[in-house]
Amino acid sequence: MKKLVALTGAGISAESGISTFRDAGGLWEKYPVQQVASHDGWLADPVLVNNFYNERRRQLFDVEPNRAHRLLAQLEHHFDVAVVTQNVDNLHERAGSTNVIHLHGELMKVTSSRNPDDPTCIETLTRDNFEVQPGQLAKDGSLLRPYIVFFQEAVPMIDVAATLASLADIFVIIGTSLNVYPAAGLVHYVRSGVPIYLIDPKDVDAHMADVTFIRKTASEGMAELTRLLTGETV
Ligand code: APR
């Protein structure tokens, strides 16, 4: 089976009702990103940061995967699919994708603030227990924090993602402004000659040539891509 790697961003979850970051009315218009999503912001006010992610977690229970998530999951019938997502929601998994790498962490998980990648400290929250209380501690006695890669922090999964991109036979970019590195740099690991598709309703600079632009929303774009790649009309 050919390997298909999909790099996804907030745009694929937009039609599920989760706001993107940099569109008009986006999350970073409403919240000061440095305060709620950076390492310094965490050190300055851990309660404010935990409350911000409590709110984003709460929203997760009211949304469903959309057609784009489902069509991407269905491509697993035709290809060996790896989803490399910048999103921290769990909509790819809920839509049925079985190989999802979260570059920027996962909203439903919390961890140690001393060693965020210590697997013995990573806990998965549930619908009945999704809020981190002020002063709540992780298993190692440090303050409990979101299992999210904040700005200023390393991206632990980037090497895995780069290797996947370098092995891809088809590379698909869906719903990301390609503003944030190192995620945006993954396109440069794709071997020359490998087809790259970019699905976005707006112009996005993929910083490289010969990209097939599908200038549509994620759902419509994934329907077109499915037709292009499999001949199936969905
Ligand atoms: N379908 C497809 N794409 C869409 C849709 C839609 N319905 N609506 C918006 N988009 C596109 C926008 O045109 C834009 O190109 O989704 C992209 C969203 O870009 P950003 O808001 O910058 O989100 P993203 O690229 O995922 O941000 C990357 O930045 O703040 C950090 O950690 C955060 O993971 C995030 C990272």
Side-chain angles (χ1 to χ4, degrees), residues 8-16 18-23 26-28 33 37 53 56 66 68 85-88 103-104 148-151 174-181 183 198-204 214 216-221:
T8 70
I12 198 168
S13 296
E15 291 160 90
S16 295
I18 297 182
S19 57
T20 62
F21 294 95
R22 296 174 182 83
D23 285 314
L27 215 57
W28 297 151
V33 57
Y53 285 94
R56 288 184 70 193
N66 65 60
T85 187
Q86 300 171 87
N87 299 340
V88 294
L103 289 178
H104 296 162
I148 296 285
V149 178
F150 292 140
F151 283 106
I174 313 162
T176 174
S177 63
L178 292 175
N179 261 304
V180 173
Y181 288 79
L198 194 153
I199 299 174
D200 199 299
K202 288 187 201 145
D203 267 333
V204 173
I214 302 176
K216 291 184 174 173
T217 61
S219 294
E220 289 165 19

Side-chain angles (χ1 to χ4, degrees), residues 6 8 13 17 21 29-30 44 48 77 85 89 98 106 117 137 166 188 191 225 231:
T8 70
S13 296
F21 294 95
E29 238 176 54
K30 296 181 190 129
L48 180 130
H77 301 142
T85 187
D89 64 52
T98 59
E106 297 178 63
D117 296 315
L137 300 181
S166 71
H188 300 298
R191 289 167 294 161
L225 182 70

Side-chain angles (χ1 to χ4, degrees), residues 6 8 72-73 76 81-87 89-103 105-106 109 157 160 164:
T8 70
L72 181 54
E76 292 188 13
V81 179
V83 178
V84 176
T85 187
Q86 300 171 87
N87 299 340
D89 64 52
N90 54 4
L91 298 182
H92 281 302
E93 291 89 342
R94 287 168 55 191
S97 285
T98 59
N99 183 11
V100 182
I101 285 104
H102 285 272
L103 289 178
E106 297 178 63
K109 292 182 179 174
M157 298 301 284
V160 168
L164 285 167

Side-chain angles (χ1 to χ4, degrees), residues 29 31-32 36 54 71 82 89 102 104 107 120 137 153-154 159 166 173 190:
E29 238 176 54
Y31 294 91
V36 295
N54 287 344
L71 287 174
D89 64 52
H102 285 272
H104 296 162
L107 200 46
T120 64
L137 300 181
E153 295 181 340
D159 291 344
S166 71
I173 301 164
V190 178

Side-chain angles (χ1 to χ4, degrees), residues 131-185:
E131 289 181 304
V132 175
Q133 302 306 325
Q136 197 172 340
L137 300 181
K139 290 202 175 76
D140 65 359
S142 67
L143 270 182
L144 197 61
R145 62 164 268 184
Y147 184 60
I148 296 285
V149 178
F150 292 140
F151 283 106
Q152 304 170 306
E153 295 181 340
V155 177
M157 298 301 284
I158 195 65
D159 291 344
V160 168
T163 301
L164 285 167
S166 71
L167 297 172
D169 301 308
I170 302 168
F171 195 78
V172 188
I173 301 164
I174 313 162
T176 174
S177 63
L178 292 175
N179 261 304
V180 173
Y181 288 79

